[in-house]
Amino acid sequence: MTIRNLDFLFDPQSVAVIGASERPFSVGGTLWRNVREGGFAGRIFPVNPKYQTLSGERCYDRVADLPEPPELAVICTPPATVVELVRQLARLGTQAVVIISAGLSAQQKRAVLNAARPTLMRILGPNCVGLLAPHVGLNASFAHIAARPGELAFVSQSGALVTAMLDWAEARQIGFSQFVSLGEHADVDFGDMLDYLASDARTRAVLLYIESIDEARKFMSAARAAARNKPVIVVKAGRSTQGQKAAASHTGALAAADDVVDAAIARAGMLRVDSLQDLFAAAEILTRAKAPIGDAMTILTNGGGAGVLAADAAASADVPLAELPPALLADLERVLPANWSRGNPVDIIGDAPAQRYVDALAVLARRPQDTGTLLFIHAPTAIVPSADIARALAPVIRPAARPPLPVVSAWLGGSAVAEARAVFTQAGIACYDMAEQAVAAIGMLQRYARNQAELTEAPPAAPPANGAAPDTKRVRELVRQTLASGREMLTEPEAKAVCEAYHIPVAATRTVPADPQAAAAEGARIGFPVVLKILSEDITHKSDVGGVALNLLNEGMVSSAARTMLERVRQVHPHARIDGFTVQAMVRREHARELIVGASIDPVFGPVILFGQGGTAVEVIKDSAMALPPLNKPLAHALIERTRVARLLKGYRDVPPADVDAVIATLQAVSQLLADVSEVAELDINPLIVNHQGAIALDARVRVSKQRPAGAIRFAIRPYPAELIETLEWRARPLTLRPIRPEDEARHLAFLAALDPEDIRMRLFYSRRTLERSELARLVQIDYTREMAFVATIAAANGDEQTLGIARALTDPDNAGAEFGIIIRPDMKGTGLGRILMDKLIRYQRAAGTQRLSATVLAENDRMRQLGRTLGFTDQPTPGNAGTHELRLDLQSAAKARPKRAPV
């Protein structure tokens, strides 16, 4: 991934249009007109041998004739000409090219990239509409209209949607910071654009229209980094994509690609919406509204009908209304008239003056834990101008002295409330025309908050086991034997052995020959009632061929069921090899629910985990959700909560809540199995029955593959790099050096509090002693693909871990350079701890392929500069920045090729 030279796409000093034309309805003519008339202040050069001048500008026959290398070139000539044009532009020194031309073959696209690679020239397209950078007046597209300057960035794979979106936005006076058509994204793709837009100061939110995703880890890393900085909102086409037709299990059949995309978007902290219109509604709520408080909502309105409509919309959007406690109702009673609604919605009556609105809102604002997010709805009346109410409420909702209230507004009507809307919009308060739109927006806000919570989780590939570690060696040997025998499907006993090795409780299963009397005798030994199943490598779904018999109460029933089963299987599946029967105790659990837990391999995102309602009708019920591994407890719980069966697991009437922790443990075990055993291609535990006493797997299927499709290296999200933890002897005590993790938040805050003000001023991460919760979270919740922070810790006298120092490096998306910082607790200075941490960081970045490590330090920071020189850093005054020095260390030899990413 790289943002190298993308500035030349969006802020060039000169542009060449190759294929410029004066024909009014041609692509070249439209592009030339758009570039020339868009307000671009830089130099523009038309290139076309058919013309001497175009629009009064000299037109050049060839690229080589240009008076200077254009920083950006736009190519709209026939496909056969594109490769040579790119070669010529690369020789000139052009840094970015937009290829409008369509119809390039795969060979031609490879040749374009090969021509661009030596100079790191960036290619947008081919087969794209182009790009618009409204803030610099650049319209390098053949769109029919220009874009207004604004704060939203829009990136689309579809050219048709680019022009449609421009038209739609112009009608609503919506502006953009950047507007990009990726086309076939041979070079610049969604990952590159997310990296660029994440740090683009003009962009307040990023809107994406996605049809397909390539390079999942690159996309997820860029998306997670961008989503930490600003809202990223996605429309992903293809919700109706069929599942994997050749799947060998229920899990494979249920694992439709769109469900995996849902899981990826949630895990990256982005928000998925269904339509282009929803993109802007989501941008409005996410950039203006305060984060929701819980999932509940309280409605404040001056109209009973409007409140009822909003309540109906909330029910449809699965946004519960808050139950207002008696104390809060009593407080409202004191400021509202006798005929107010006395409940939620809070109807303050249509004759309400402005002060009544202010008083009611102030009461609700004092108890946010009871009210949740506030929805304010106003219908115009002749008693008080709507604008007066807006001016009275705006400073209450967004005061200067404290954080804004979690308020979303709906001003119902047209011209009568236009000024009120303008007042709220100017104050930065999310504002909608209809109550239903506002409710939908609150639902988006709540989903976004849940996704952001998933973003902050960074579990290891192998979560700590509560007890014995899994018997990975046993499973690997079982897989080796299976593949050596020419099989991919494990038998049911083998699959259950895999579950047992990873501490997933299973119903004990015995194997007997295909003899009814042997099955009956085994049933007697186990104890009745029992379950009988056919055992065959050729039959995956046993119940589909009559290969399962339940609740067999005696030997006669077992032998009779076995004979019937053999006859039935021979009729339905005459060529199947019958290996015998399995016999297991019939598990009876009161109030038990049938669930499914599974895993499969998505062609883009790699290993994925499924959870849902199980049983034989699982594919009909289709109550399931997907998640990307690795999973920890919060992520596993979030996966469960995305299903309907989650409500049943919480208990109802006389049914006690199920042991959800047991289900979570099963999901984590599957996650760890996928990380440990790379041959796992598909896993299916169905049913996993659970009640208040625990969970147990009644049936399991596992398919393995020599292609090794799983393993932590295939995860779309890099797990916590536990392999980087090391312990060494230091001052007669064990010192641990490890990557930082989200659980370090409290320790990190204590570490920060112990620093001297001079430490904070000198170095390196903070400008003040205290931090906002979100800023602190950002320091401990990092994406290990592109950032690393090593902490040095020791155990205190009470056994608690204490942070003594931290060394951090943030790598640019090119992996060309990393900016580092180090800070040590005051009482640890002079102990050599700084050198230990820096040595760890340097070793890691060198192994990751980073080219250089650098830092800017105050000239008076002698201790840091001395440490740098000792470690081989150069120490030079920073050009143009008096009072600072740059420490710089080249990590790789000059002979090394292009940078590579960290090993995982």
Side-chain angles (χ1 to χ4, degrees):
M1 66 190 69
T2 176
I3 58 172
R4 186 75 57 80
N5 291 335
L6 288 185
D7 281 337
F8 295 103
L9 273 175
F10 300 106
D11 193 12
Q13 299 301 304
S14 57
V15 179
V17 180
I18 304 171
S21 170
E22 64 182 8
R23 289 186 294 133
F25 298 110
S26 66
V27 173
T30 305
L31 259 162
W32 172 245
R33 184 182 68 250
N34 284 349
V35 170
R36 185 171 176 272
E37 298 177 359
F40 178 64
R43 298 173 296 283
I44 56 175
F45 309 114
V47 180
N48 192 329
K50 296 180 180 179
Y51 303 99
Q52 291 187 340
T53 62
L54 270 177
S55 308
E57 302 276 353
R58 178 185 170 183
C59 190
Y60 299 87
D61 289 352
R62 302 173 305 161
V63 166
D65 297 333
L66 291 171
E68 63 181 78
E71 291 189 349
L72 172 65
V74 186
I75 299 176
C76 47
T77 58
T81 67
V82 171
V83 175
E84 182 56 32
L85 285 169
V86 172
R87 288 196 186 107
Q88 294 174 18
L89 290 164
R91 285 195 292 268
L92 280 179
T94 297
Q95 298 298 310
V97 173
V98 180
I99 302 178
I100 305 295
S101 314
L104 273 71
S105 67
Q107 182 179 1
Q108 287 171 324
K109 283 185 277 191
R110 284 195 299 271
V112 164
L113 295 179
N114 289 337
R117 186 171 291 114
T119 60
L120 291 178
M121 174 194 286
R122 305 313 308 271
I123 305 294
L124 180 65
N127 189 21
C128 68
V129 172
L131 68 91
L132 299 93
H135 289 282
V136 297
L138 177 63
N139 183 353
S141 78
F142 62 89
H144 62 300
I145 58 174
R148 293 172 177 264
E151 296 179 302
L152 303 179
F154 180 69
V155 183
S156 172
Q157 268 180 282
S158 166
L161 283 178
V162 165
T163 54
M165 175 65 83
L166 276 173
D167 208 54
W168 191 91
E170 175 61 24
R172 291 156 180 80
Q173 299 184 346
I174 295 171
F176 296 92
S177 58
Q178 314 288 357
F179 205 100
V180 185
S181 167
L182 290 180
E184 296 177 23
H185 52 87
D187 173 27
V188 177
D189 60 12
F190 281 111
D192 298 321
M193 289 306 309
L194 284 166
D195 273 327
Y196 181 82
L197 295 170
S199 57
D200 180 21
R202 295 190 178 105
T203 298
R204 177 167 52 97
V206 180
L207 315 180
L208 305 178
Y209 172 79
I210 298 176
E211 292 178 350
S212 62
I213 295 171
D214 301 320
E215 299 185 60
R217 182 168 280 193
K218 170 184 175 179
F219 173 80
M220 291 298 291
S221 180
R224 296 178 76 215
R228 293 179 191 275
N229 290 344
K230 57 193 67 173
V232 180
I233 308 156
V234 179
V235 170
K236 168 65 173 69
R239 281 195 179 274
S240 60
T241 302
Q242 292 184 349
Q244 301 169 3
K245 295 181 180 179
S249 70
H250 295 298
T251 296
L254 289 171
D258 193 66
D259 297 326
V260 179
V261 172
D262 265 344
I265 289 172
R267 188 70 179 82
M270 302 184 290
L271 176 67
R272 185 177 186 178
V273 296
D274 294 327
S275 67
L276 297 178
Q277 185 169 346
D278 285 345
L279 278 175
F280 294 103
E284 172 79 4
I285 191 73
L286 297 185
T287 57
R288 293 184 182 275
K290 186 177 182 290
I293 299 173
D295 290 332
M297 177 182 74
T298 297
I299 301 168
L300 176 65
T301 180
N302 70 333
V308 172
L309 287 175
D312 289 344
S316 298
D318 206 20
V319 178
L321 295 187
E323 291 287 340
L324 303 183
L328 177 56
L329 294 174
D331 290 343
L332 287 170
E333 192 80 39
R334 285 189 280 273
V335 300
L336 296 179
N339 56 341
W340 77 284
S341 60
R342 290 181 172 78
N344 187 6
V346 179
D347 179 6
I348 64 174
I349 312 304
D351 63 353
Q355 189 58 44
R356 190 185 300 169
Y357 287 89
V358 171
D359 293 342
L361 186 62
V363 169
L364 296 173
R366 286 197 294 267
R367 304 175 70 101
Q369 70 279 5
D370 295 325
T371 60
T373 303
L374 300 175
L375 171 58
F376 168 75
I377 307 173
H378 174 79
T381 71
I383 298 173
V384 182
S386 299
D388 290 353
I389 295 169
R391 280 188 284 269
L393 287 176
V396 178
I397 296 171
R398 295 191 70 89
R402 59 175 172 76
L405 298 176
V407 175
V408 178
S409 68
W411 296 88
L412 311 183
S415 58
V417 294
E419 186 180 354
R421 286 195 192 115
V423 170
F424 263 39
T425 301
Q426 184 66 30
I429 302 167
C431 191
Y432 296 89
D433 296 344
M434 304 296 292
E436 295 85 351
Q437 296 171 339
V439 171
I442 290 173
M444 292 178 188
L445 190 66
Q446 293 175 348
R447 290 202 311 277
Y448 179 69
R450 290 192 288 269
N451 293 355
Q452 284 279 298
E454 291 196 30
L455 171 63
T456 65
E457 299 295 338
N466 295 325
D471 192 349
T472 304
K473 182 178 179 180
R474 176 188 176 196
V475 173
R476 285 176 176 158
E477 178 60 22
L478 180 58
V479 169
R480 187 195 64 78
Q481 292 174 0
T482 301
L483 292 173
S485 70
R487 291 185 292 127
E488 285 195 340
M489 291 299 302
L490 274 62
T491 64
E492 180 187 353
E494 290 170 338
K496 287 183 174 178
V498 170
C499 292
E500 284 184 308
Y502 274 76
H503 308 302
I504 299 172
V506 298
T509 302
R510 313 270 177 83
T511 302
V512 298
D515 176 6
Q517 296 307 317
E522 189 62 43
R525 278 190 288 272
I526 292 173
F528 298 106
V530 297
V531 176
L532 182 71
K533 300 178 186 178
I534 199 74
L535 181 62
S536 170
E537 295 177 11
D538 301 323
I539 300 173
T540 301
H541 298 294
K542 295 178 282 292
S543 58
D544 293 349
V545 296
V548 179
L550 304 175
N551 201 30
L552 304 177
L553 303 177
N554 53 53
E555 292 185 55
M557 291 181 70
V558 173
S559 59
S560 176
R563 285 190 294 271
T564 302
M565 193 176 292
L566 288 172
E567 293 172 4
R568 173 67 176 165
V569 170
R570 286 169 184 149
Q571 291 175 1
V572 176
H573 211 318
H575 301 295
R577 190 182 76 180
I578 306 301
D579 300 310
F581 296 106
T582 61
V583 186
Q584 68 184 52
M586 181 77 186
V587 178
R588 296 177 181 274
R589 289 197 174 180
E590 192 178 17
H591 306 308
R593 286 283 165 191
E594 291 189 339
L595 306 176
I596 180 171
V597 170
S600 63
I601 309 299
D602 182 77
V604 176
F605 290 95
V608 294
I609 296 173
L610 175 138
F611 169 80
Q613 190 166 346
T616 56
V618 62
E619 292 167 31
V620 177
I621 297 170
K622 291 184 177 179
D623 175 25
S624 62
M626 311 290 294
L628 303 184
L631 296 183
N632 59 8
K633 188 170 183 178
L635 290 172
H637 188 265
L639 170 60
I640 293 170
E641 286 298 309
R642 288 200 291 272
T643 62
R644 297 189 301 275
V645 76
R647 300 178 185 177
L648 297 177
L649 298 180
K650 294 174 183 176
Y652 55 92
R653 293 188 179 178
D654 60 341
V655 177
D659 184 358
V660 174
D661 283 343
V663 181
I664 288 173
T666 301
L667 289 167
Q668 288 186 267
V670 170
S671 175
Q672 186 172 353
L673 174 65
L674 289 172
D676 292 344
V677 185
S678 57
E679 293 87 354
V680 174
E682 208 166 306
L683 178 144
D684 197 59
I685 300 173
N686 182 34
L688 177 76
I689 64 168
V690 61
N691 68 351
H692 58 285
Q693 297 171 313
I696 186 170
L698 299 190
D699 201 357
R701 301 178 184 90
V702 176
R703 183 171 69 85
V704 293
S705 171
K706 292 180 180 179
Q707 303 304 315
R708 302 169 69 92
I713 195 171
R714 306 282 186 183
F715 288 4
I717 297 174
R718 185 181 179 186
Y720 177 79
E723 69 278 5
L724 297 176
I725 301 173
E726 62 178 296
T727 302
L728 51 90
E729 194 71 17
W730 178 73
R731 304 179 77 189
R733 301 180 67 181
L735 177 75
T736 300
L737 304 177
R738 60 168 175 79
I740 202 166
R741 52 187 180 226
E743 300 93 306
D744 287 322
E745 187 174 305
R747 279 185 291 270
H748 205 62
L749 187 60
F751 168 73
L752 178 61
L755 298 178
D756 293 331
E758 185 67 4
D759 294 326
I760 298 171
R761 186 181 75 84
M762 283 281 191
R763 210 69 200 147
L764 225 172
F765 310 122
Y766 321 108
S767 59
R768 57 189 186 278
R769 183 178 295 270
T770 59
L771 292 175
E772 293 290 337
R773 165 66 175 79
S774 59
E775 190 177 349
L776 178 62
R778 173 66 188 88
L779 293 173
V780 298
Q781 298 162 2
I782 64 174
D783 183 339
Y784 303 103
T785 303
R786 58 181 60 205
E787 184 176 0
M788 183 51 67
F790 288 113
V791 292
T793 69
I794 60 170
N798 62 0
D800 292 342
E801 196 176 20
Q802 289 185 341
T803 298
L804 306 183
I806 180 169
R808 183 184 300 267
L810 180 62
T811 308
D812 66 36
D814 302 318
N815 201 26
E819 185 176 357
F820 79 92
I822 180 171
I823 195 163
I824 305 297
R825 208 170 70 181
D827 58 328
M828 293 292 115
K829 292 178 181 178
T831 63
L833 185 60
R835 180 167 187 142
I836 292 172
L837 274 168
M838 282 302 301
D839 177 68
K840 175 79 170 174
L841 188 65
I842 290 169
R843 283 187 284 123
Y844 170 78
Q845 296 296 157
R846 182 173 282 130
T850 309
Q851 301 297 294
R852 64 182 177 275
L853 201 57
S854 63
T856 301
V857 302
L858 292 174
E860 64 211 74
N861 193 348
D862 295 326
R863 188 186 293 271
M864 183 65 215
R865 291 174 57 198
Q866 177 59 39
L867 174 61
R869 290 191 295 269
T870 302
L871 292 167
F873 284 79
T874 60
D875 180 1
Q876 300 292 334
T878 308
N881 191 357
T884 66
H885 277 228
E886 183 188 38
L887 299 178
R888 179 183 174 117
L889 178 67
D890 291 329
L891 297 172
Q892 311 293 340
S893 67
K896 285 215 171 183
R898 292 172 62 86
K900 60 185 179 180
R901 272 279 146 206
V904 292

